[in-house]
Amino acid sequence: MGLVLVSHSEKVARGTAEMVVQMAGEVEAIPVGGDPEGGLGTNPDRIREALESARSDELLVFMDVGSAVLAVESVVEGLAEELRSRVRLVDAPFVEGAFAAGVLASTGAGAGECVEAALEARTEPKLHGG
C-alpha cells in the first residue's frame, strides 16, 4: 500500500509523509507539494511522476484542498489504464486521513480498510470529554 500526498504546500506534504512513515514504518508515502516555482500550488507533472514512480501495487491519493483535487483528478484521468486501476482518491482529511490509512496499512490491511480508516478520521473527535 502506498500513499501519495498532494498538498498546495511542499512543507505540508513532506511533513505529513514524514509523520506517516515514522508512525507506520514500511508504508510508502510520496509527498507532492507546491507549484513548479516552489510556491504554493499544485503541479500536475509532479503528481504524474509520483504516481508513475510509486512501487506499491495499490495507491491511495490524499489531497488537501480545492485545486489539488482537480489537478489529481485530471492527472489520473490521463493515466494508462494499468496504472489508473491501482489508484484510489480518498475524500478524507489530509493529515488525519493519511495518518490513519498509513498506520492501518502497516498492519497489512487492504486498500478498502485503509480508506475506511481515513474516512473515519473525519468524524473522530480530537477533544474527549470537553
Side-chain angles (χ1 to χ4, degrees):
M1 178 73 54
L3 308 179
V4 177
L5 308 169
V6 180
S7 172
H8 281 72
S9 165
E10 182 178 356
K11 291 178 181 177
V12 170
R14 288 193 182 282
T16 303
E18 180 181 350
M19 186 171 79
V20 169
V21 169
Q22 282 189 10
M23 297 302 290
E26 299 296 320
V27 173
E28 181 179 29
I30 303 172
V32 183
D35 69 13
E37 291 78 38
L40 296 177
T42 58
N43 182 338
D45 291 336
R46 289 186 54 214
I47 295 168
R48 177 182 305 281
E49 290 169 10
L51 294 169
E52 290 175 347
S53 69
R55 301 178 317 272
S56 302
D57 291 338
E58 296 179 284
L59 298 170
L60 302 182
V61 182
F62 291 83
M63 302 133 294
D64 61 359
V65 294
S67 62
V69 176
L70 297 174
V72 168
E73 287 176 336
S74 175
V75 168
V76 170
E77 191 174 290
L79 295 175
E81 176 55 31
E82 182 181 343
L83 178 54
R84 187 173 51 234
S85 68
R86 297 171 36 212
V87 174
R88 290 179 71 167
L89 309 188
V90 184
D91 186 11
F94 188 74
V95 175
E96 293 89 342
F99 178 79
V103 169
L104 191 57
S106 72
T107 68
E113 294 171 288
C114 293
V115 168
E116 286 300 317
L119 295 177
E120 288 176 16
R122 177 180 294 143
T123 58
E124 185 67 28
K126 293 183 180 181
L127 301 177
H128 297 281

